Amino acid sequence: MNEGKIHREIKFLGNLQDYLREFVYGGIDGAVTTFAVVAGAVGANLDASIIIILGFANLLADGFSMSVGAYLSSKSENENYHKHRSIEYWEVDNIPEKEREEIVEIYKAKGFEGELLQKVVDVIVSDRDRWVEEMMKDELNMIKDSKSPFKIGLATLISFIMVGFIPLMVYVYDFLNETEIDLFFWTSLFTGVAFVVVGWLKSYVNQTNVFKSVIETLALGFVAALVAYFVGDFLETIILNAK
């Protein structure tokens, strides 16, 4: 019983790790876009209640849109893979001589020659499925993605909403408790911490330098918020002067 439970837990953690990339990039987009909305609203001197409304509208609408986009993109790639795989099966069945010659050329390019080349080709073409997989990988440079399009979309949605909520967290707390704190300062602080954590996870996903990844993520969020803030401030000035 314990071994079975441990096995299920390991499998569950493995499945989570498979979708870590989607979680990381969904989280980055969620934090950046929501923080930019908050910064733009602050720049325009909008009321905190308006910031909450705009923030949640952006959080839910953009989160859904991004997750649907991720799902459809993955689904399209899978369909494209299977379409070309079917074509390769037809070619193996109907024009095997041509397909065998392509395998020969592929393995010649890898440095095989003479009797060894013929033996390798014979082994590959002796199994129809193996033959097709070799053609998919080496001729078309296509590898099947084992991840579920639905889970990709779901991981993107969850991370977008979870991390994207952080820039709104202080405003929601203030709305419920009527505090006297500097809302934008604490929002910036908590969002900065979120960027650091997500940047660290991004370095793990991409196998890059942790410091560089964190700085890049922080810079992305800072620039987006800065632009949104000054755009909000500029538009407020223009609109007020027009009245």
Side-chain angles (χ1 to χ4, degrees), residues 178-217:
E178 297 183 358
T179 65
E180 298 297 327
I181 62 175
D182 185 334
L183 299 180
F184 190 61
F185 169 79
W186 285 102
T187 292
S188 300
L189 182 63
F190 285 129
T191 305
V193 172
F195 281 135
V196 169
V197 173
V198 175
W200 172 73
L201 287 173
K202 183 163 72 73
S203 74
Y204 174 77
V205 168
N206 295 335
Q207 297 295 300
T208 55
N209 181 270
V210 174
F211 179 76
K212 180 181 177 182
S213 180
V214 168
I215 294 300
E216 285 177 346
T217 308

Short mmCIF file of all heavy atoms in Angstrom, two decimals, residues 178-217:
data_model
loop_
_atom_site.label_atom_id
_atom_site.label_comp_id
_atom_site.label_asym_id
_atom_site.label_seq_id
_atom_site.Cartn_x
_atom_site.Cartn_y
_atom_site.Cartn_z
N GLU A 178 -9.81 48.33 4.95
CA GLU A 178 -9.63 49.78 5.01
C GLU A 178 -8.35 50.17 5.77
O GLU A 178 -8.38 50.78 6.83
CB GLU A 178 -10.85 50.45 5.66
CG GLU A 178 -12.13 50.26 4.87
CD GLU A 178 -13.30 51.01 5.50
OE1 GLU A 178 -13.11 51.63 6.55
OE2 GLU A 178 -14.40 50.94 4.93
N THR A 179 -7.22 49.83 5.19
CA THR A 179 -5.93 50.15 5.80
C THR A 179 -5.47 51.55 5.39
O THR A 179 -6.10 52.21 4.56
CB THR A 179 -4.87 49.13 5.36
OG1 THR A 179 -4.66 49.25 3.95
CG2 THR A 179 -5.32 47.71 5.68
N GLU A 180 -4.36 51.99 5.97
CA GLU A 180 -3.77 53.30 5.65
C GLU A 180 -2.41 53.14 4.99
O GLU A 180 -1.61 54.06 4.98
CB GLU A 180 -3.64 54.14 6.93
CG GLU A 180 -4.96 54.46 7.61
CD GLU A 180 -5.87 55.32 6.73
OE1 GLU A 180 -5.33 56.15 5.97
OE2 GLU A 180 -7.10 55.15 6.81
N ILE A 181 -2.12 51.98 4.46
CA ILE A 181 -0.80 51.71 3.89
C ILE A 181 -0.67 52.27 2.48
O ILE A 181 -1.67 52.58 1.83
CB ILE A 181 -0.51 50.20 3.88
CG1 ILE A 181 -1.52 49.46 2.99
CG2 ILE A 181 -0.52 49.62 5.29
CD1 ILE A 181 -1.23 47.98 2.84
N ASP A 182 0.57 52.39 2.01
CA ASP A 182 0.84 52.80 0.63
C ASP A 182 0.59 51.59 -0.27
O ASP A 182 1.44 50.69 -0.36
CB ASP A 182 2.28 53.29 0.51
CG ASP A 182 2.61 53.85 -0.86
OD1 ASP A 182 1.95 53.45 -1.84
OD2 ASP A 182 3.53 54.67 -0.97
N LEU A 183 -0.55 51.57 -0.91
CA LEU A 183 -0.98 50.38 -1.65
C LEU A 183 -0.03 50.04 -2.80
O LEU A 183 0.34 48.88 -2.99
CB LEU A 183 -2.39 50.58 -2.20
CG LEU A 183 -3.49 50.81 -1.16
CD1 LEU A 183 -4.83 51.00 -1.85
CD2 LEU A 183 -3.56 49.64 -0.19
N PHE A 184 0.38 51.04 -3.58
CA PHE A 184 1.21 50.75 -4.74
C PHE A 184 2.62 50.31 -4.33
O PHE A 184 3.23 49.47 -5.00
CB PHE A 184 1.29 51.96 -5.67
CG PHE A 184 1.93 51.64 -6.99
CD1 PHE A 184 1.37 50.70 -7.84
CD2 PHE A 184 3.09 52.28 -7.39
CE1 PHE A 184 1.95 50.39 -9.06
CE2 PHE A 184 3.69 51.98 -8.61
CZ PHE A 184 3.12 51.03 -9.45
N PHE A 185 3.12 50.87 -3.23
CA PHE A 185 4.44 50.45 -2.76
C PHE A 185 4.44 48.97 -2.39
O PHE A 185 5.32 48.21 -2.82
CB PHE A 185 4.86 51.28 -1.54
CG PHE A 185 6.07 50.73 -0.85
CD1 PHE A 185 7.35 50.96 -1.35
CD2 PHE A 185 5.94 49.94 0.31
CE1 PHE A 185 8.48 50.43 -0.72
CE2 PHE A 185 7.06 49.41 0.94
CZ PHE A 185 8.33 49.66 0.43
N TRP A 186 3.46 48.56 -1.60
CA TRP A 186 3.42 47.15 -1.17
C TRP A 186 3.08 46.22 -2.33
O TRP A 186 3.57 45.10 -2.41
CB TRP A 186 2.41 46.99 -0.02
CG TRP A 186 2.94 47.53 1.26
CD1 TRP A 186 2.62 48.71 1.86
CD2 TRP A 186 3.94 46.92 2.08
NE1 TRP A 186 3.34 48.89 3.01
CE2 TRP A 186 4.16 47.80 3.18
CE3 TRP A 186 4.66 45.74 2.02
CZ2 TRP A 186 5.08 47.52 4.19
CZ3 TRP A 186 5.57 45.45 3.03
CH2 TRP A 186 5.78 46.32 4.10
N THR A 187 2.25 46.72 -3.24
CA THR A 187 1.96 45.92 -4.44
C THR A 187 3.23 45.69 -5.24
O THR A 187 3.50 44.58 -5.71
CB THR A 187 0.92 46.64 -5.31
OG1 THR A 187 -0.34 46.64 -4.63
CG2 THR A 187 0.74 45.94 -6.66
N SER A 188 4.02 46.74 -5.43
CA SER A 188 5.28 46.63 -6.17
C SER A 188 6.24 45.67 -5.48
O SER A 188 6.93 44.89 -6.15
CB SER A 188 5.93 48.02 -6.31
OG SER A 188 5.08 48.91 -6.99
N LEU A 189 6.28 45.74 -4.16
CA LEU A 189 7.17 44.87 -3.40
C LEU A 189 6.78 43.41 -3.56
O LEU A 189 7.63 42.56 -3.88
CB LEU A 189 7.16 45.26 -1.92
CG LEU A 189 8.09 44.46 -1.00
CD1 LEU A 189 9.55 44.66 -1.40
CD2 LEU A 189 7.87 44.85 0.46
N PHE A 190 5.51 43.11 -3.34
CA PHE A 190 5.05 41.71 -3.45
C PHE A 190 5.19 41.20 -4.88
O PHE A 190 5.56 40.04 -5.11
CB PHE A 190 3.60 41.58 -2.99
CG PHE A 190 3.43 41.64 -1.50
CD1 PHE A 190 2.52 42.51 -0.93
CD2 PHE A 190 4.20 40.85 -0.67
CE1 PHE A 190 2.36 42.58 0.45
CE2 PHE A 190 4.04 40.90 0.71
CZ PHE A 190 3.13 41.78 1.27
N THR A 191 4.89 42.06 -5.86
CA THR A 191 5.02 41.64 -7.25
C THR A 191 6.48 41.41 -7.61
O THR A 191 6.80 40.48 -8.36
CB THR A 191 4.42 42.70 -8.19
OG1 THR A 191 3.06 42.97 -7.82
CG2 THR A 191 4.45 42.22 -9.64
N GLY A 192 7.37 42.24 -7.06
CA GLY A 192 8.80 42.03 -7.28
C GLY A 192 9.27 40.69 -6.75
O GLY A 192 10.05 39.98 -7.40
N VAL A 193 8.77 40.32 -5.57
CA VAL A 193 9.11 39.00 -5.01
C VAL A 193 8.59 37.89 -5.92
O VAL A 193 9.27 36.88 -6.16
CB VAL A 193 8.51 38.84 -3.59
CG1 VAL A 193 8.68 37.41 -3.09
CG2 VAL A 193 9.16 39.82 -2.63
N ALA A 194 7.37 38.08 -6.46
CA ALA A 194 6.81 37.09 -7.38
C ALA A 194 7.68 36.96 -8.62
O ALA A 194 7.93 35.85 -9.11
CB ALA A 194 5.39 37.49 -7.77
N PHE A 195 8.15 38.08 -9.14
CA PHE A 195 9.03 38.04 -10.31
C PHE A 195 10.34 37.31 -10.00
O PHE A 195 10.86 36.59 -10.85
CB PHE A 195 9.34 39.46 -10.79
CG PHE A 195 8.25 40.09 -11.60
CD1 PHE A 195 7.87 41.40 -11.35
CD2 PHE A 195 7.61 39.38 -12.59
CE1 PHE A 195 6.85 41.99 -12.10
CE2 PHE A 195 6.59 39.96 -13.34
CZ PHE A 195 6.21 41.27 -13.09
N VAL A 196 10.86 37.51 -8.81
CA VAL A 196 12.10 36.81 -8.42
C VAL A 196 11.87 35.30 -8.40
O VAL A 196 12.68 34.53 -8.93
CB VAL A 196 12.59 37.31 -7.05
CG1 VAL A 196 13.72 36.40 -6.53
CG2 VAL A 196 13.08 38.74 -7.14
N VAL A 197 10.77 34.87 -7.79
CA VAL A 197 10.48 33.44 -7.69
C VAL A 197 10.24 32.83 -9.07
O VAL A 197 10.80 31.78 -9.41
CB VAL A 197 9.24 33.19 -6.78
CG1 VAL A 197 8.84 31.72 -6.82
CG2 VAL A 197 9.54 33.62 -5.36
N VAL A 198 9.44 33.52 -9.88
CA VAL A 198 9.15 33.01 -11.23
C VAL A 198 10.41 33.04 -12.09
O VAL A 198 10.65 32.13 -12.90
CB VAL A 198 8.02 33.82 -11.89
CG1 VAL A 198 7.81 33.37 -13.33
CG2 VAL A 198 6.72 33.65 -11.12
N GLY A 199 11.24 34.06 -11.92
CA GLY A 199 12.50 34.13 -12.65
C GLY A 199 13.43 32.99 -12.28
O GLY A 199 14.12 32.43 -13.14
N TRP A 200 13.43 32.64 -11.00
CA TRP A 200 14.24 31.49 -10.55
C TRP A 200 13.72 30.20 -11.18
O TRP A 200 14.52 29.37 -11.65
CB TRP A 200 14.19 31.39 -9.03
CG TRP A 200 14.84 30.14 -8.51
CD1 TRP A 200 16.18 29.86 -8.45
CD2 TRP A 200 14.16 28.98 -8.00
NE1 TRP A 200 16.38 28.60 -7.93
CE2 TRP A 200 15.16 28.04 -7.65
CE3 TRP A 200 12.83 28.66 -7.80
CZ2 TRP A 200 14.85 26.79 -7.11
CZ3 TRP A 200 12.51 27.42 -7.27
CH2 TRP A 200 13.52 26.50 -6.93
N LEU A 201 12.41 30.02 -11.21
CA LEU A 201 11.83 28.83 -11.84
C LEU A 201 12.14 28.82 -13.34
O LEU A 201 12.39 27.76 -13.92
CB LEU A 201 10.32 28.80 -11.62
CG LEU A 201 9.84 28.46 -10.21
CD1 LEU A 201 8.33 28.63 -10.10
CD2 LEU A 201 10.24 27.05 -9.82
N LYS A 202 12.14 29.99 -13.97
CA LYS A 202 12.45 30.08 -15.40
C LYS A 202 13.88 29.62 -15.67
O LYS A 202 14.15 28.97 -16.69
CB LYS A 202 12.24 31.51 -15.91
CG LYS A 202 12.48 31.68 -17.41
CD LYS A 202 11.87 32.98 -17.92
CE LYS A 202 12.65 34.18 -17.46
NZ LYS A 202 13.95 34.34 -18.17
N SER A 203 14.79 29.95 -14.78
CA SER A 203 16.18 29.51 -14.95
C SER A 203 16.28 27.99 -14.86
O SER A 203 17.08 27.36 -15.56
CB SER A 203 17.08 30.15 -13.90
OG SER A 203 16.88 29.58 -12.62
N TYR A 204 15.44 27.39 -14.02
CA TYR A 204 15.43 25.92 -13.89
C TYR A 204 14.86 25.29 -15.15
O TYR A 204 15.40 24.30 -15.66
CB TYR A 204 14.58 25.53 -12.67
CG TYR A 204 14.38 24.05 -12.52
CD1 TYR A 204 15.39 23.23 -12.02
CD2 TYR A 204 13.17 23.44 -12.88
CE1 TYR A 204 15.22 21.87 -11.89
CE2 TYR A 204 12.98 22.09 -12.76
CZ TYR A 204 14.01 21.30 -12.26
OH TYR A 204 13.82 19.94 -12.13
N VAL A 205 13.79 25.87 -15.70
CA VAL A 205 13.16 25.34 -16.90
C VAL A 205 14.09 25.43 -18.10
O VAL A 205 14.23 24.50 -18.89
CB VAL A 205 11.84 26.08 -17.19
CG1 VAL A 205 11.32 25.75 -18.59
CG2 VAL A 205 10.79 25.70 -16.16
N ASN A 206 14.75 26.59 -18.23
CA ASN A 206 15.59 26.84 -19.41
C ASN A 206 17.05 26.46 -19.21
O ASN A 206 17.86 26.61 -20.14
CB ASN A 206 15.51 28.32 -19.80
CG ASN A 206 14.12 28.72 -20.27
OD1 ASN A 206 13.35 27.89 -20.73
ND2 ASN A 206 13.80 29.99 -20.15
N GLN A 207 17.37 26.00 -18.00
CA GLN A 207 18.76 25.63 -17.68
C GLN A 207 19.72 26.80 -17.95
O GLN A 207 20.73 26.65 -18.63
CB GLN A 207 19.18 24.39 -18.48
CG GLN A 207 18.39 23.14 -18.15
CD GLN A 207 18.60 22.66 -16.71
OE1 GLN A 207 19.71 22.35 -16.30
NE2 GLN A 207 17.52 22.62 -15.94
N THR A 208 19.36 27.98 -17.42
CA THR A 208 20.18 29.17 -17.61
C THR A 208 20.61 29.71 -16.25
O THR A 208 20.16 29.23 -15.19
CB THR A 208 19.41 30.26 -18.37
OG1 THR A 208 18.18 30.55 -17.68
CG2 THR A 208 19.10 29.82 -19.79
N ASN A 209 21.46 30.73 -16.26
CA ASN A 209 21.95 31.33 -15.02
C ASN A 209 20.80 31.93 -14.21
O ASN A 209 19.97 32.67 -14.74
CB ASN A 209 22.96 32.42 -15.38
CG ASN A 209 23.54 33.09 -14.16
OD1 ASN A 209 23.01 34.08 -13.68
ND2 ASN A 209 24.64 32.54 -13.66
N VAL A 210 20.76 31.61 -12.91
CA VAL A 210 19.66 32.05 -12.05
C VAL A 210 19.62 33.57 -11.96
O VAL A 210 18.55 34.19 -12.11
CB VAL A 210 19.80 31.44 -10.64
CG1 VAL A 210 18.74 32.01 -9.70
CG2 VAL A 210 19.67 29.93 -10.70
N PHE A 211 20.77 34.19 -11.70
CA PHE A 211 20.82 35.64 -11.53
C PHE A 211 20.34 36.35 -12.79
O PHE A 211 19.54 37.29 -12.73
CB PHE A 211 22.26 36.07 -11.20
CG PHE A 211 22.42 37.55 -11.02
CD1 PHE A 211 21.98 38.18 -9.86
CD2 PHE A 211 23.00 38.32 -12.02
CE1 PHE A 211 22.12 39.55 -9.70
CE2 PHE A 211 23.14 39.69 -11.87
CZ PHE A 211 22.70 40.30 -10.70
N LYS A 212 20.81 35.90 -13.95
CA LYS A 212 20.42 36.50 -15.22
C LYS A 212 18.92 36.36 -15.45
O LYS A 212 18.26 37.31 -15.89
CB LYS A 212 21.19 35.85 -16.36
CG LYS A 212 20.85 36.41 -17.73
CD LYS A 212 21.63 35.70 -18.83
CE LYS A 212 21.23 36.22 -20.21
NZ LYS A 212 21.95 35.50 -21.30
N SER A 213 18.37 35.19 -15.17
CA SER A 213 16.95 34.94 -15.39
C SER A 213 16.09 35.81 -14.48
O SER A 213 15.08 36.37 -14.91
CB SER A 213 16.64 33.46 -15.14
OG SER A 213 15.27 33.19 -15.35
N VAL A 214 16.50 35.95 -13.23
CA VAL A 214 15.75 36.78 -12.27
C VAL A 214 15.78 38.24 -12.70
O VAL A 214 14.75 38.93 -12.70
CB VAL A 214 16.33 36.61 -10.85
CG1 VAL A 214 15.75 37.67 -9.90
CG2 VAL A 214 16.01 35.22 -10.31
N ILE A 215 16.96 38.73 -13.08
CA ILE A 215 17.09 40.13 -13.50
C ILE A 215 16.25 40.39 -14.75
O ILE A 215 15.57 41.43 -14.86
CB ILE A 215 18.56 40.49 -13.76
CG1 ILE A 215 19.36 40.44 -12.46
CG2 ILE A 215 18.68 41.86 -14.41
CD1 ILE A 215 18.87 41.40 -11.39
N GLU A 216 16.27 39.47 -15.71
CA GLU A 216 15.48 39.63 -16.93
C GLU A 216 13.99 39.72 -16.62
O GLU A 216 13.28 40.55 -17.17
CB GLU A 216 15.73 38.46 -17.88
CG GLU A 216 17.07 38.51 -18.60
CD GLU A 216 17.31 37.30 -19.48
OE1 GLU A 216 16.56 36.30 -19.34
OE2 GLU A 216 18.24 37.33 -20.29
N THR A 217 13.53 38.85 -15.71
CA THR A 217 12.11 38.84 -15.36
C THR A 217 11.71 40.11 -14.62
O THR A 217 10.66 40.70 -14.89
CB THR A 217 11.79 37.60 -14.50
OG1 THR A 217 12.26 36.43 -15.14
CG2 THR A 217 10.29 37.47 -14.29
#
